[in-house]
């Protein structure tokens, strides 16, 4: 029998933390928790989870610092940030540091569970196409060289780390040169999500990715926006 997925819930508000724990436990997940950032890192290192549900504002170490430390150790573990309502900077900062997705407080039960399920599906499934030894050898996106084994991109002699989500996006673009890929398609392929009206998570990931693969992110030449539809990878041979 397959063991349940392990989720680490990091939230300093005891009421919210216990509520999320009860919800996830009821859904069959194995849940551990931490009330501050320092405790979160200890718990993570003692027993690495499949997914970290991470609040931004916490004592000792905030969510950004925790996310940064986890990403140094593991580029693939799923990280789902809990952000304040209307705080766009919270969302962008989390994605810049390697978070896979975010949920805005206050959130609905169905939305939280859908995001958790999608993050876990990405992290634990599809071993034949994007994980481990099955990942392709190095490939290029425009002038940038991608090393899937190292989760790294090199551009103009400088190397940058890639999150698993960023690498998956690059793999999808590389596999579909010249094709216009809709936002819904990319959300399904990379996030395992059916779009619910907002594609800001995708757009913010693309914006951060361009900083790593485009010589001038403000004037992209490889990952192009197709207004009203999605994105297209121009390989020079498209």
């Amino acid at each position: 029998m397959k063991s349940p997925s392990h989720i680490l819930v990091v939230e300093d508000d005891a009421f919210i933390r216990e509520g999320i724990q009860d919800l996830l436990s009821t859904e069959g997940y194995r849940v551990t928790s931490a009330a501050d950032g320092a405790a979160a890192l200890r718990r993570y290192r003692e027993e690495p989870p499949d997914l970290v549900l991470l609040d931004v504002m916490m004592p000792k170490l905030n969510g950004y610092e925790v996310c940064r430390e986890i990403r140094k150790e593991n580029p693939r573990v799923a990280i789902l940030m809990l952000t304040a309502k209307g705080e766009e900077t919270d969302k962008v900062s989390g994605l810049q540091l390697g978070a896979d997705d975010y949920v805005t407080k206050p959130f609905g039960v169905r939305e939280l569970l859908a995001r958790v399920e999608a993050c876990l599906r990405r992290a634990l499934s599809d071993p034949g196409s994007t994980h481990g030894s099955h990942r392709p050898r190095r490939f290029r996106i425009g002038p940038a060289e991608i090393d899937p084994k190292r989760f790294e991109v090199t551009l103009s002699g400088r190397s940058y780390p890639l999150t698993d989500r960023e690498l998956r996006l690059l793999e999808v673009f590389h596999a579909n040169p010249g094709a216009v890929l809709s936002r819904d398609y990319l959300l399904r392929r990379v996030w395992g999500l059916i779009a619910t009206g907002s594609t800001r998570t995708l757009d913010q990931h693309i914006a951060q990715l361009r900083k790593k693969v485009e010589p001038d992110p403000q004037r992209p030449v490889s990952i192009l926006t197709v207004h009203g539809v999605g994105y297209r990878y121009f390989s020079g041979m498209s």
Side-chain angles (χ1 to χ4, degrees), residues 7-186:
I7 299 175
L8 173 60
V9 176
V10 187
E11 166 64 65
D12 65 321
D13 185 308
F15 180 78
I16 297 176
R17 184 176 67 252
E18 291 168 7
I20 293 175
Q21 282 185 263
D22 290 345
L23 171 65
L24 295 175
S25 296
T26 300
E27 292 295 315
Y29 297 110
R30 184 165 66 87
V31 185
T32 53
S33 66
D36 61 66
L41 286 177
R42 287 197 301 272
R43 291 288 177 86
Y44 172 81
R45 288 162 178 159
E46 290 168 359
E47 188 179 9
D50 300 304
L51 181 147
V52 182
L53 191 58
L54 183 60
D55 188 31
V56 171
M57 300 306 297
M58 295 183 297
K60 297 185 180 180
L61 291 175
N62 63 37
Y64 303 138
E65 295 168 306
V66 174
C67 183
R68 183 186 295 112
E69 290 303 311
I70 290 175
R71 277 289 173 251
K72 287 179 183 178
E73 300 175 20
N74 190 333
R76 287 188 287 177
V77 64
I79 300 177
L80 182 60
M81 301 286 285
L82 300 177
T83 66
K85 183 178 181 180
E87 291 295 330
E88 190 77 4
T89 55
D90 285 355
K91 301 168 186 176
V92 173
S93 297
L95 295 176
Q96 287 176 331
L97 291 170
D100 294 294
D101 204 353
Y102 57 81
V103 178
T104 302
K105 296 179 182 179
F107 48 80
V109 168
R110 292 178 62 185
E111 179 189 8
L112 178 62
L113 290 176
R115 298 285 178 178
V116 166
E117 290 168 7
C119 281
L120 284 170
R121 190 159 55 243
R122 185 276 304 165
L124 301 176
S125 69
D126 200 19
S129 63
T130 57
H131 287 285
S133 61
H134 296 278
R135 283 200 182 274
R137 295 183 178 181
R138 294 183 179 211
F139 61 93
R140 299 191 75 87
I141 293 288
E145 184 176 31
I146 317 302
D147 186 343
K149 296 290 187 181
R150 295 172 62 88
F151 284 82
E152 190 174 79
V153 56
T154 301
L155 177 67
S156 302
R158 295 187 62 184
S159 295
Y160 306 91
L162 291 169
T163 67
D164 188 68
R165 194 81 73 185
E166 289 171 340
L167 180 54
R168 286 171 69 93
L169 277 168
L170 291 174
E171 288 172 338
V172 172
F173 283 126
H174 185 256
N176 296 276
V180 177
L181 306 178
S182 71
R183 286 177 170 82
D184 285 357
Y185 175 82
L186 290 168

Side-chain angles (χ1 to χ4, degrees), residues 88 91-93 95-96 99-102 115 165-166 169 173 181-187 190-191 193 195 197-211 217-218 220 223-232:
E88 190 77 4
K91 301 168 186 176
V92 173
S93 297
L95 295 176
Q96 287 176 331
D100 294 294
D101 204 353
Y102 57 81
R115 298 285 178 178
R165 194 81 73 185
E166 289 171 340
L169 277 168
F173 283 126
L181 306 178
S182 71
R183 286 177 170 82
D184 285 357
Y185 175 82
L186 290 168
L187 284 169
V190 179
W191 274 261
L193 288 173
S198 173
T199 58
R200 286 295 294 162
T201 297
L202 169 62
D203 294 338
Q204 289 164 355
H205 267 81
I206 294 292
Q208 299 310 314
L209 196 53
R210 282 173 171 160
K211 295 178 181 178
Q218 301 303 315
I223 301 176
L224 308 178
T225 300
V226 181
H227 294 288
V229 182
Y231 296 94
R232 179 169 73 95

